[in-house]
Coordinates of all heavy atoms in Angstrom, one line a residue:
M240 N 19.7 0.3 -9.1 CA 18.3 0.2 -9.4 C 17.5 0.6 -8.2 O 17.7 0.1 -7.1 CB 17.9 -1.2 -9.9 CG 16.5 -1.3 -10.4 SD 16.2 -0.5 -11.9 CE 17.1 -1.5 -13.1
D241 N 16.5 1.5 -8.4 CA 15.6 1.9 -7.3 C 14.3 1.1 -7.3 O 13.8 0.7 -8.3 CB 15.3 3.4 -7.4 CG 16.6 4.2 -7.1 OD1 17.4 3.7 -6.3 OD2 16.6 5.3 -7.6
G242 N 13.8 0.9 -6.1 CA 12.6 0.2 -5.9 C 11.6 1.1 -5.2 O 11.9 2.1 -4.6
I243 N 10.3 0.6 -5.1 CA 9.3 1.3 -4.4 C 8.5 0.3 -3.6 O 8.1 -0.7 -4.1 CB 8.3 2.1 -5.3 CG1 9.0 3.2 -6.1 CG2 7.2 2.7 -4.5 CD1 8.2 3.8 -7.1
L244 N 8.5 0.5 -2.3 CA 7.7 -0.4 -1.4 C 6.3 0.0 -1.2 O 6.0 1.2 -0.8 CB 8.4 -0.5 0.0 CG 7.6 -1.3 1.0 CD1 7.6 -2.8 0.7 CD2 8.3 -1.2 2.4
N245 N 5.4 -0.9 -1.6 CA 4.0 -0.6 -1.2 C 3.7 -1.1 0.2 O 3.7 -2.3 0.4 CB 3.1 -1.4 -2.2 CG 1.6 -1.1 -2.0 OD1 1.2 -0.7 -0.9 ND2 0.8 -1.4 -2.9
E246 N 3.6 -0.1 1.1 CA 3.5 -0.5 2.5 C 2.1 -1.2 2.9 O 2.0 -1.8 3.9 CB 3.7 0.7 3.4 CG 5.1 1.3 3.3 CD 5.3 2.5 4.2 OE1 4.5 3.3 4.3 OE2 6.4 2.5 4.8
V247 N 1.2 -1.1 2.0 CA -0.1 -1.7 2.2 C 0.0 -3.2 2.0 O -0.5 -4.0 2.8 CB -1.2 -1.2 1.3 CG1 -2.5 -1.9 1.6 CG2 -1.3 0.3 1.6
T248 N 0.7 -3.6 1.0 CA 0.7 -5.1 0.6 C 2.1 -5.7 0.9 O 2.3 -6.8 0.7 CB 0.4 -5.3 -0.9 OG1 1.4 -4.5 -1.7 CG2 -1.0 -4.8 -1.2
N249 N 3.1 -4.8 1.4 CA 4.5 -5.3 1.6 C 5.1 -5.9 0.3 O 5.7 -6.9 0.4 CB 4.5 -6.3 2.7 CG 4.7 -5.6 4.1 OD1 5.3 -4.5 4.1 ND2 4.2 -6.2 5.1
T250 N 4.8 -5.2 -0.8 CA 5.3 -5.7 -2.1 C 6.3 -4.6 -2.6 O 6.0 -3.4 -2.6 CB 4.2 -5.9 -3.1 OG1 3.3 -6.8 -2.5 CG2 4.7 -6.5 -4.4
V251 N 7.4 -5.1 -3.1 CA 8.4 -4.2 -3.6 C 8.3 -4.2 -5.1 O 8.3 -5.2 -5.8 CB 9.9 -4.6 -3.2 CG1 10.9 -3.7 -3.9 CG2 10.0 -4.6 -1.7
H252 N 8.2 -3.0 -5.7 CA 8.1 -2.8 -7.1 C 9.4 -2.1 -7.7 O 10.1 -1.4 -6.9 CB 6.9 -1.9 -7.5 CG 5.6 -2.6 -7.0 ND1 4.9 -3.4 -7.7 CD2 4.9 -2.4 -5.8 CE1 3.8 -3.8 -7.0 NE2 3.8 -3.2 -5.9
K253 N 9.6 -2.3 -8.9 CA 10.7 -1.6 -9.6 C 10.3 -0.2 -10.1 O 9.3 -0.1 -10.8 CB 11.2 -2.5 -10.7 CG 12.5 -2.0 -11.3 CD 12.9 -2.9 -12.5 CE 13.3 -4.3 -12.0 NZ 13.8 -5.1 -13.2
Q254 N 11.1 0.8 -9.7 CA 10.7 2.1 -10.2 C 11.1 2.3 -11.6 O 12.2 1.9 -12.1 CB 11.5 3.2 -9.3 CG 11.1 4.6 -9.7 CD 11.7 5.6 -8.8 OE1 12.6 5.3 -8.0 NE2 11.2 6.8 -8.8
E255 N 10.1 2.8 -12.4 CA 10.4 3.0 -13.8 C 11.2 4.3 -14.0 O 10.8 5.4 -13.6 CB 9.0 3.2 -14.5 CG 9.2 3.2 -16.0 CD 7.9 2.9 -16.7 OE1 6.9 3.6 -16.4 OE2 7.9 2.1 -17.6
T256 N 12.4 4.1 -14.6 CA 13.3 5.3 -14.8 C 12.7 6.2 -15.8 O 12.1 5.8 -16.8 CB 14.6 4.8 -15.3 OG1 14.5 4.0 -16.4 CG2 15.3 4.0 -14.2
G257 N 12.8 7.5 -15.5 CA 12.4 8.5 -16.5 C 10.9 8.9 -16.2 O 10.4 9.8 -16.9
G258 N 10.2 8.2 -15.3 CA 8.8 8.5 -15.1 C 8.7 9.4 -13.9 O 9.7 10.0 -13.4
R259 N 7.5 9.6 -13.5 CA 7.3 10.5 -12.3 C 7.8 9.7 -11.0 O 8.1 8.6 -11.1 CB 5.8 10.9 -12.2 CG 4.9 9.7 -11.9 CD 3.4 10.2 -12.2 NE 2.5 9.0 -11.9 CZ 1.9 8.9 -10.8 NH1 2.0 9.7 -9.8 NH2 1.1 7.8 -10.7
E260 N 7.8 10.4 -9.9 CA 8.5 9.9 -8.7 C 8.2 8.5 -8.3 O 9.0 7.7 -8.0 CB 8.3 10.9 -7.6 CG 9.1 10.5 -6.4 CD 9.0 11.6 -5.2 OE1 8.1 12.5 -5.4 OE2 9.6 11.4 -4.2
F261 N 6.8 8.2 -8.3 CA 6.4 6.9 -7.8 C 5.9 6.0 -8.9 O 5.0 5.2 -8.7 CB 5.4 7.1 -6.7 CG 6.0 7.7 -5.4 CD1 5.5 8.9 -5.0 CD2 7.0 7.1 -4.8 CE1 6.0 9.5 -3.8 CE2 7.5 7.6 -3.6 CZ 7.0 8.8 -3.1
Q262 N 6.3 6.2 -10.1 CA 5.9 5.4 -11.2 C 6.6 4.0 -11.2 O 7.8 4.0 -11.1 CB 6.1 6.0 -12.5 CG 5.4 5.3 -13.7 CD 5.3 6.2 -14.9 OE1 5.7 7.4 -14.9 NE2 4.7 5.7 -16.0
T263 N 5.8 2.9 -11.3 CA 6.4 1.6 -11.2 C 6.3 1.0 -12.6 O 5.4 1.3 -13.4 CB 5.7 0.7 -10.2 OG1 4.4 0.5 -10.6 CG2 5.8 1.4 -8.8
V264 N 7.1 -0.1 -12.8 CA 7.0 -0.8 -14.1 C 5.6 -1.4 -14.4 O 5.1 -1.3 -15.5 CB 8.1 -1.9 -14.1 CG1 8.0 -2.8 -15.4 CG2 9.5 -1.3 -14.1
C265 N 5.0 -1.9 -13.3 CA 3.7 -2.6 -13.5 C 2.5 -1.6 -13.4 O 1.4 -1.9 -13.7 CB 3.5 -3.7 -12.5 SG 3.4 -3.1 -10.8
G266 N 2.8 -0.3 -13.0 CA 1.8 0.7 -13.0 C 0.9 0.7 -11.7 O -0.1 1.3 -11.6
V267 N 1.3 -0.1 -10.7 CA 0.5 -0.2 -9.5 C 0.3 1.1 -8.7 O -0.7 1.3 -8.1 CB 1.0 -1.3 -8.5 CG1 2.3 -0.8 -7.9 CG2 0.0 -1.7 -7.5
A268 N 1.3 2.0 -8.9 CA 1.3 3.2 -8.2 C 0.1 4.1 -8.5 O -0.3 5.0 -7.7 CB 2.6 4.0 -8.4
Y269 N -0.5 3.9 -9.7 CA -1.6 4.7 -10.0 C -2.8 4.4 -9.1 O -3.7 5.3 -8.9 CB -2.1 4.4 -11.5 CG -1.1 4.9 -12.5 CD1 -0.4 4.0 -13.3 CD2 -0.9 6.2 -12.6 CE1 0.5 4.4 -14.3 CE2 0.0 6.7 -13.6 CZ 0.7 5.8 -14.4 OH 1.5 6.3 -15.3
N270 N -2.8 3.3 -8.4 CA -3.9 2.9 -7.6 C -3.6 3.1 -6.1 O -4.5 2.7 -5.3 CB -4.3 1.4 -7.8 CG -4.7 1.2 -9.3 OD1 -5.4 2.0 -9.9 ND2 -4.2 0.1 -9.8
V271 N -2.4 3.6 -5.8 CA -2.0 3.6 -4.4 C -1.7 5.1 -4.0 O -1.0 5.8 -4.8 CB -0.8 2.7 -4.1 CG1 -0.4 2.8 -2.7 CG2 -1.1 1.3 -4.5
A272 N -2.1 5.5 -2.9 CA -1.7 6.9 -2.5 C -0.2 7.0 -2.2 O 0.4 6.1 -1.8 CB -2.5 7.2 -1.2
A273 N 0.3 8.2 -2.5 CA 1.7 8.4 -2.4 C 2.3 8.2 -1.0 O 3.4 7.8 -0.9 CB 2.1 9.8 -2.9
D274 N 1.5 8.5 0.0 CA 2.0 8.3 1.4 C 2.0 6.8 1.8 O 2.4 6.5 2.9 CB 1.2 9.1 2.3 CG -0.3 8.7 2.4 OD1 -0.7 7.9 1.6 OD2 -1.0 9.3 3.2
Q275 N 1.6 5.9 0.9 CA 1.7 4.5 1.2 C 2.8 3.9 0.4 O 3.0 2.6 0.5 CB 0.3 3.8 0.9 CG -0.8 4.3 1.7 CD -2.2 3.8 1.3 OE1 -2.4 3.6 0.1 NE2 -3.0 3.5 2.2
L276 N 3.6 4.7 -0.3 CA 4.7 4.2 -1.0 C 6.0 4.7 -0.5 O 6.1 5.9 -0.1 CB 4.5 4.6 -2.5 CG 3.3 4.1 -3.2 CD1 3.2 4.8 -4.6 CD2 3.4 2.6 -3.4
R277 N 7.0 3.8 -0.4 CA 8.3 4.2 0.1 C 9.4 3.9 -0.8 O 9.6 2.7 -1.1 CB 8.5 3.5 1.5 CG 9.8 4.0 2.2 CD 9.7 3.9 3.7 NE 9.4 2.5 4.1 CZ 10.4 1.6 4.4 NH1 11.6 2.0 4.3 NH2 10.1 0.4 4.8
P278 N 10.1 4.9 -1.4 CA 11.1 4.6 -2.3 C 12.4 4.2 -1.6 O 12.6 4.6 -0.4 CB 11.3 6.0 -3.0 CG 10.9 7.0 -2.0 CD 9.8 6.3 -1.2
G279 N 13.3 3.5 -2.3 CA 14.6 3.1 -1.7 C 15.2 2.1 -2.6 O 14.7 1.7 -3.6
G280 N 16.4 1.7 -2.2 CA 17.1 0.6 -2.9 C 16.4 -0.7 -2.7 O 15.9 -1.0 -1.7
I281 N 16.4 -1.5 -3.8 CA 15.6 -2.7 -3.7 C 16.1 -3.7 -2.7 O 15.4 -4.3 -1.9 CB 15.6 -3.4 -5.1 CG1 14.8 -2.6 -6.1 CG2 15.1 -4.8 -5.1 CD1 14.9 -3.0 -7.5
D282 N 17.5 -3.7 -2.6 CA 18.0 -4.6 -1.5 C 17.7 -4.1 -0.1 O 17.6 -4.9 0.8 CB 19.6 -4.7 -1.7 CG 20.0 -5.4 -2.9 OD1 19.1 -6.2 -3.5 OD2 21.1 -5.3 -3.4
Q283 N 17.5 -2.8 0.0 CA 17.2 -2.3 1.3 C 15.7 -2.6 1.7 O 15.3 -2.8 2.8 CB 17.4 -0.8 1.4 CG 18.9 -0.4 1.4 CD 19.1 1.1 1.3 OE1 18.8 1.7 0.3 NE2 19.4 1.7 2.4
L284 N 14.9 -2.5 0.6 CA 13.4 -2.7 0.9 C 13.1 -4.2 1.1 O 12.2 -4.5 1.9 CB 12.7 -2.2 -0.4 CG 12.8 -0.6 -0.6 CD1 12.1 -0.3 -1.9 CD2 12.2 0.1 0.6
V285 N 13.8 -5.1 0.4 CA 13.5 -6.5 0.6 C 14.3 -7.0 1.8 O 15.4 -7.6 1.6 CB 13.8 -7.3 -0.7 CG1 13.4 -8.8 -0.5 CG2 13.0 -6.7 -1.9
T286 N 13.8 -6.8 3.0 CA 14.6 -7.1 4.2 C 14.0 -8.1 5.0 O 14.6 -8.7 5.9 CB 14.8 -5.8 5.0 OG1 13.5 -5.3 5.3 CG2 15.6 -4.8 4.3
S287 N 12.7 -8.5 4.8 CA 12.1 -9.4 5.7 C 11.3 -10.5 4.9 O 11.1 -10.3 3.7 CB 11.1 -8.7 6.6 OG 10.0 -8.3 5.9
Q288 N 11.0 -11.6 5.6 CA 10.3 -12.7 4.9 C 8.9 -12.2 4.5 O 8.3 -12.8 3.5 CB 10.1 -13.8 5.9 CG 11.4 -14.4 6.3 CD 12.1 -15.2 5.2 OE1 11.4 -15.8 4.4 NE2 13.4 -15.3 5.2
S289 N 8.3 -11.2 5.1 CA 7.0 -10.8 4.8 C 6.9 -9.8 3.6 O 5.9 -9.5 3.1 CB 6.3 -10.1 6.0 OG 7.1 -9.0 6.4
T290 N 8.1 -9.4 3.2 CA 8.2 -8.5 2.0 C 8.4 -9.3 0.8 O 9.4 -10.1 0.7 CB 9.3 -7.5 2.2 OG1 9.1 -6.8 3.4 CG2 9.3 -6.5 1.0
S291 N 7.6 -9.2 -0.3 CA 7.8 -9.9 -1.5 C 8.0 -9.0 -2.7 O 7.6 -7.8 -2.6 CB 6.6 -10.8 -1.7 OG 5.4 -10.0 -1.9
K292 N 8.6 -9.6 -3.7 CA 8.8 -8.8 -4.9 C 7.6 -9.0 -5.9 O 7.0 -10.0 -6.0 CB 10.0 -9.3 -5.7 CG 11.3 -8.9 -5.0 CD 12.5 -9.4 -5.8 CE 13.8 -9.0 -5.3 NZ 14.9 -9.5 -6.1
C293 N 7.2 -7.9 -6.5 CA 6.1 -7.9 -7.5 C 6.5 -8.8 -8.7 O 7.6 -8.6 -9.3 CB 5.8 -6.5 -8.0 SG 4.7 -6.4 -9.4
G294 N 5.6 -9.7 -9.0 CA 5.9 -10.7 -10.1 C 5.9 -10.0 -11.5 O 6.4 -10.6 -12.5
R295 N 5.3 -8.8 -11.6 CA 5.3 -8.2 -12.9 C 6.5 -7.2 -13.0 O 6.8 -6.9 -14.2 CB 4.0 -7.4 -13.0 CG 2.8 -8.3 -13.2 CD 1.5 -7.8 -12.7 NE 1.0 -6.7 -13.6 CZ -0.1 -5.9 -13.3 NH1 -0.7 -6.2 -12.2 NH2 -0.4 -5.0 -14.1
C296 N 7.1 -6.8 -11.9 CA 8.2 -5.9 -12.0 C 9.5 -6.7 -12.0 O 10.5 -6.3 -12.6 CB 8.3 -5.0 -10.8 SG 7.0 -3.7 -10.9
F297 N 9.5 -7.9 -11.4 CA 10.7 -8.7 -11.3 C 10.5 -10.1 -11.9 O 9.5 -10.7 -11.6 CB 11.1 -8.9 -9.9 CG 11.4 -7.6 -9.2 CD1 10.4 -7.0 -8.4 CD2 12.7 -7.0 -9.3 CE1 10.7 -5.8 -7.8 CE2 12.9 -5.8 -8.6 CZ 11.9 -5.2 -7.9
D298 N 11.5 -10.6 -12.7 CA 11.4 -11.9 -13.3 C 11.4 -13.0 -12.2 O 10.8 -14.0 -12.3 CB 12.5 -12.2 -14.2 CG 12.4 -11.3 -15.5 OD1 11.3 -10.9 -15.8 OD2 13.4 -11.1 -16.1
D299 N 12.0 -12.7 -11.0 CA 12.1 -13.7 -10.0 C 11.1 -13.4 -8.8 O 11.2 -13.9 -7.7 CB 13.5 -13.7 -9.4 CG 14.0 -12.4 -8.8 OD1 13.3 -11.4 -9.2 OD2 14.9 -12.3 -8.0
G300 N 10.1 -12.5 -9.1 CA 9.2 -12.2 -8.1 C 8.2 -13.3 -7.9 O 8.1 -14.3 -8.6
G301 N 7.5 -13.2 -6.8 CA 6.5 -14.3 -6.4 C 5.1 -14.0 -6.7 O 4.4 -13.4 -5.9
G302 N 4.7 -14.2 -7.9 CA 3.3 -14.1 -8.3 C 2.9 -12.6 -8.5 O 3.7 -11.8 -8.7
Y303 N 1.6 -12.4 -8.3 CA 1.1 -11.0 -8.6 C 0.7 -10.3 -7.4 O 0.2 -10.9 -6.4 CB -0.1 -11.2 -9.6 CG 0.4 -11.7 -10.9 CD1 0.3 -13.1 -11.2 CD2 0.8 -10.8 -11.9 CE1 0.7 -13.5 -12.4 CE2 1.3 -11.3 -13.1 CZ 1.2 -12.7 -13.4 OH 1.6 -13.1 -14.6
Ligands
ZN585 ZN1 5.1 -4.1 -9.6

């Protein structure tokens, strides 16, 4: 499963399969410039305490 890190908010989103490159399940990418998003494996992106999972993309995420 691939994820997308929003480098502005340090939030990891789940990439929507079959969509465009930076499309996320919750649709946040529509409001963020492409150069502020970093794709990668979810486990790789969630590497620090300051990085959180999007609550709308992940059932175990922390809020919105
Ligand atoms: Zn999200």
Side-chain angles (χ1 to χ4, degrees):
M240 185 68 73
D241 288 334
I243 297 174
L244 173 66
N245 180 342
E246 293 185 318
V247 179
T248 59
N249 272 330
T250 304
V251 178
H252 300 271
K253 189 181 292 185
Q254 184 173 16
E255 187 161 52
T256 55
R259 65 194 179 99
E260 185 177 4
F261 290 119
Q262 191 162 0
T263 65
V264 172
C265 68
V267 71
Y269 289 116
N270 302 317
V271 181
D274 62 355
Q275 295 173 324
L276 299 170
R277 187 153 56 90
I281 290 172
D282 289 343
Q283 291 175 285
L284 295 174
V285 183
T286 54
S287 70
Q288 297 288 330
S289 60
T290 306
S291 60
K292 286 181 175 178
C293 171
R295 288 154 71 184
C296 290
F297 301 95
D298 289 338
D299 61 342
Y303 294 95

